[in-house]
Amino acid sequence: MKKEPRMAFLLTLMISMISLGSCTTTRESEVGDELSDFRNWVSRETSQLANRTEEDWQQTKEDFRTRTQELDQKQEQFSAELKEEYKQLKQEFTEADESYRKARTEARMAEWEGKLLGQWADTDTINAANVRDAYITFMENVRTLKSGWSNDDWDMAKMVLQQLNDRKEEINADIDTDSEVKIKALQMEFLTLETAADVGGN
């Protein structure tokens, strides 16, 4: 008679362990499925960055934040292997975002160089003989286009000017004094216009 309660106890214990193991296996399977879904999503969303609009990519970044917030809370259920894969997938998306930002900035920069420098957009063509004309062209376009510029627009114009200044530094030794004086005046004019726009809130 004593054996029966003991056998019943052992049987109950075995059933509990099997049930617990089954639950654990089920949870691991669910977590694996979720990570697999995240893997596919990252692959899909980062595969054609060149075709993504700014608005579209911003929505993708919001989706990424939502997905990772949910997965971050479940990391304690990840195996070491899944944790490493999850970390790599997040890094992959971050690198894709950096690549997208860089490409967008370069594209915008090229657009603004063409808009403000005209024929001098390729700064490699600027030399001591024509650098003054490049600055004159830049400021003529700034005066024409500046009305209604946002702070971001002024930042882009400032970046174009910096490109021009960098090129000037490369050829500085050969620039004549009259051109130096004129260029300095044009640089000061840009700074004055930018400051006025900041004060005026334009």
Side-chain angles (χ1 to χ4, degrees), residues 7-175:
M7 288 295 292
F9 170 75
L10 289 174
L11 186 59
T12 302
L13 182 60
M14 287 177 65
I15 292 172
S16 298
M17 289 177 67
I18 291 170
S19 177
L20 182 61
S22 176
C23 289
T24 301
T25 303
T26 301
R27 278 200 300 272
E28 288 176 353
S29 177
E30 289 174 355
V31 167
D33 288 345
E34 289 179 32
L35 195 59
S36 177
D37 179 59
F38 181 63
R39 183 193 311 116
N40 293 334
W41 180 86
V42 170
S43 177
R44 183 176 66 251
E45 296 298 327
T46 60
S47 62
Q48 296 186 3
L49 289 178
N51 299 328
R52 307 296 292 271
T53 65
E54 185 78 21
E55 184 179 5
D56 180 36
W57 185 247
Q58 279 301 121
Q59 182 57 55
T60 296
K61 289 178 69 175
E62 287 297 323
D63 291 346
F64 175 77
R65 275 190 283 271
T66 300
R67 286 171 177 269
T68 52
Q69 281 174 359
E70 292 175 357
L71 286 170
D72 284 348
Q73 294 174 0
K74 299 177 180 179
Q75 275 200 84
E76 61 184 32
Q77 300 175 31
F78 290 7
S79 65
E81 184 179 348
L82 288 181
K83 284 182 180 179
E84 182 60 30
E85 181 181 2
Y86 180 50
K87 178 182 176 182
Q88 290 176 1
L89 287 170
K90 290 201 293 185
Q91 180 63 28
E92 182 181 329
F93 186 88
T94 299
E95 289 173 358
D97 182 45
E98 290 171 355
S99 176
Y100 180 80
R101 291 286 149 216
K102 183 179 179 183
R104 293 288 294 184
T105 299
E106 288 175 352
R108 287 194 69 204
M109 192 65 185
E111 178 187 345
W112 276 84
E113 284 172 344
K115 191 186 298 186
L116 298 181
L117 293 177
Q119 70 182 95
W120 314 112
D122 181 2
T123 55
D124 288 341
T125 64
I126 298 174
N127 54 41
N130 60 33
V131 65
R132 173 175 174 158
D133 293 332
Y135 275 92
I136 289 172
T137 298
F138 172 80
M139 278 312 305
E140 284 177 347
N141 287 322
V142 169
R143 293 186 204 109
T144 300
L145 300 171
K146 69 181 178 62
S147 178
W149 271 1
S150 65
N151 287 336
D152 187 49
D153 292 332
W154 278 104
D155 286 342
M156 292 304 298
K158 192 156 50 177
M159 287 172 67
V160 174
L161 178 58
Q162 186 58 54
Q163 289 276 80
L164 194 52
N165 290 341
D166 290 345
R167 178 57 180 167
K168 176 181 173 293
E169 285 302 311
E170 292 176 5
I171 57 175
N172 197 50
D174 300 321
I175 302 173

